[in-house]
Amino acid sequence: MDTASSPLTGTTAAAPDDRNRRKVATAAALASAVEWYDYFVFGIAAALVLGDLYFPSGSSSAGVLAAFATFAVGFLARPVGGVIAGHFGDKHGRKPMLVLALTMMGLATTGIGLLPTYETIGIAAPVLLVLFRVLQGIAVGAQWGGAMLMATEYAPEGKRGLYGSLVQLGVPIGVVTANTVFLVAGATTSESAFASWGWRVPFFVGVLVLVLAWYIHTRVEETPAFREAERALAEQEKGAARSPLRTILTKHLGTVFLAGGSFAVNTATFYIIITGVLDYATRELEMERSAVLTVSLCVSLTQLALIPASAALSDRIGRLRIYALGAVGLLVWAVPLFLLIDTKSLLWLAVGTFVTSCFLSIMYGPQAALFAELFTAEMRYTGASLGYQIAAVFGGGLAPFMMVLLLEATGTSMAVSAYIIGLAVIALISIKILANRAAAKAAPAEAAHAEAG
């Protein structure tokens, strides 16, 4: 079963108590926050310093393009992490894959903070930077599904959207924390000191991820939905090998692509406003770095309220309705966004990115529960992760790189607006198909209920 009405539990296992639910939800939210923090510090560093330090050239645009290409490499690696963790997470549990993802991210991020520059070790510097970025991508690809399922599969009935949004809050928390640490590093060091060592400080926070990995490993239990699915499958298959990935690829690949198509506009627009705009505003529009970072930080703070609010509303009136509203908003706002940014006014930059952030939050809040409900428990980690990471590759990973290319090729920011509009159209088509599928599968059940009545 692969519709949006697919149950998350349907188990006979004893329901977890409220205390255990809160502990698991908090751990999942923290896992998401620290993982995304580690992932975002790379994007900010790519926009500010990595081009000059690891990809020296005669052109500032070429250096930024190289840094953003390395940023995109992490996204290309995310489906690998999603597939591997999804496969083993559906076979052996959500928790071990989440712990592995956190450990890998902590080591990779700390490694970037310690990495010598091109001037010191030559070509080995960018090669190692790309390698660490690949490891970050694999880790975040593995993490999202594990954290999301730990939260939603422990959620009480009628609150899956809200519980799933706690994991989604990791994104704005990660952005706010990453921007704050970079602002502090920039404010407490000179320009030369920041370029030399100040930018490395945010990466050393990655060590804390290892502490959280140990806590989840020792203190958090596996989800009841997975335990029940594991017992049921053991009885059905009587020891036969099963492959969640094969099941997804042979029977539910269309749903995976629809999920990815519905979400690509969200992740692309998000990375455009937190990374692409940071580069565009400071390098092309010559706005002050600390001021633009401050705007990004403040805008991200608003998501902390909007994401759970939209998720809670989706628990009452439906995921796809809320999700579609956000996609329509991004389509309509794509042109005004860059018209406001191009004024070079900090106020209008804030207004443009704030409204964009509202529409992003409206989509992002219910997205975790929506993706989880598209698949049944025995293949949910694989299916939800693969859909999310496909969107990340074709949306988020390429977005800052595409933005620089479009600006260089056309000389106008309206080309970036057209890029967002195109992805929004794809999202709305995907959402419509998912809604039609859900309605078609719900119709027989409603007819049977009417006859019984």
Side-chain angles (χ1 to χ4, degrees), residues 30-39 41 98-110 136 139 143 202-217:
L30 286 173
S32 177
V34 297
E35 190 97 348
W36 285 117
Y37 166 85
D38 282 11
Y39 200 68
V41 292
L98 180 57
V99 170
L100 178 62
L102 288 168
T103 302
M104 186 182 298
M105 178 64 86
L107 294 174
T109 304
T110 305
Q136 279 194 321
Q143 172 272 145
F203 287 89
F204 295 144
V205 179
V207 174
L208 298 179
V209 182
L210 302 175
V211 177
L212 182 60
W214 173 83
Y215 174 83
I216 292 175
H217 176 67

Side-chain angles (χ1 to χ4, degrees), residues 4-342:
S5 60
S6 170
L8 270 180
T9 54
T11 74
T12 57
D17 58 43
D18 288 341
R19 181 175 176 276
N20 199 31
R21 281 194 177 110
R22 287 193 295 269
K23 181 175 73 172
V24 172
T26 301
L30 286 173
S32 177
V34 297
E35 190 97 348
W36 285 117
Y37 166 85
D38 282 11
Y39 200 68
F40 291 145
V41 292
F42 190 100
I44 297 172
L48 297 178
V49 297
L50 295 185
D52 292 335
L53 296 176
Y54 291 92
F55 305 97
S57 68
S59 165
S60 61
S61 295
V64 170
L65 276 171
F68 279 161
T70 305
F71 179 69
V73 164
F75 286 82
L76 295 175
R78 281 171 60 169
V80 177
V83 166
I84 294 173
H87 177 77
F88 289 103
D90 281 330
K91 293 192 72 170
H92 303 295
R94 297 21 174 147
K95 189 179 82 168
M97 292 300 102
L98 180 57
V99 170
L100 178 62
L102 288 168
T103 302
M104 186 182 298
M105 178 64 86
L107 294 174
T109 304
T110 305
I112 293 171
L114 296 171
L115 184 62
T117 64
Y118 184 93
E119 184 179 4
T120 304
I121 61 173
I123 192 65
V127 170
L128 289 172
L129 184 67
V130 170
L131 176 61
F132 282 132
R133 183 59 179 170
V134 167
L135 292 177
Q136 279 194 321
I138 292 173
V140 82
Q143 172 272 145
W144 181 80
M148 178 270 291
L149 293 180
M150 291 291 287
T152 57
E153 290 184 346
Y154 263 100
E157 189 66 28
K159 293 186 178 181
R160 290 194 292 263
L162 180 60
Y163 270 63
S165 73
L166 298 178
V167 173
Q168 306 296 73
L169 286 175
V171 170
I173 291 172
V175 173
V176 168
T177 309
N179 277 304
T180 299
V181 174
F182 265 101
L183 279 170
V184 171
T188 55
T189 60
S190 64
E191 285 289 332
S192 60
F194 180 81
S196 175
W197 59 267
W199 68 271
R200 298 179 182 276
V201 174
F203 287 89
F204 295 144
V205 179
V207 174
L208 298 179
V209 182
L210 302 175
V211 177
L212 182 60
W214 173 83
Y215 174 83
I216 292 175
H217 176 67
T218 57
R219 302 294 179 88
V220 175
E221 297 178 0
E222 188 54 76
T223 72
F226 172 77
R227 293 197 303 267
E228 182 63 23
E230 187 177 42
R231 283 193 292 270
L233 284 167
E235 299 229 349
Q236 292 171 13
E237 298 175 357
K238 300 185 186 302
R242 70 181 181 95
S243 171
L245 178 59
R246 187 185 305 119
T247 302
I248 288 292
L249 295 180
T250 56
K251 297 181 180 180
H252 305 283
L253 191 57
T255 302
V256 168
F257 280 117
L258 287 171
S262 74
F263 189 61
V265 65
N266 186 286
T267 187
T269 307
F270 173 76
Y271 283 102
I272 283 172
I273 66 169
I274 71 158
T275 301
V277 168
L278 176 59
D279 166 64
Y280 178 60
T282 55
R283 184 169 57 87
E284 297 286 344
L285 304 183
E286 299 181 345
M287 299 176 72
E288 185 184 355
R289 180 184 69 200
S290 61
V292 177
L293 280 171
T294 301
V295 167
S296 179
L297 186 154
C298 293
V299 166
S300 295
L301 283 171
T302 64
Q303 293 185 304
L304 297 177
L306 290 171
I307 286 176
S310 66
L313 187 59
S314 79
D315 282 329
R316 301 185 64 181
I317 68 174
R319 318 261 184 246
L320 288 171
R321 289 182 182 178
I322 302 299
Y323 203 58
L325 177 62
V328 170
L330 293 176
L331 185 151
V332 172
W333 190 249
V335 170
L337 168 64
F338 277 95
L339 290 177
L340 292 173
I341 292 173
D342 286 343

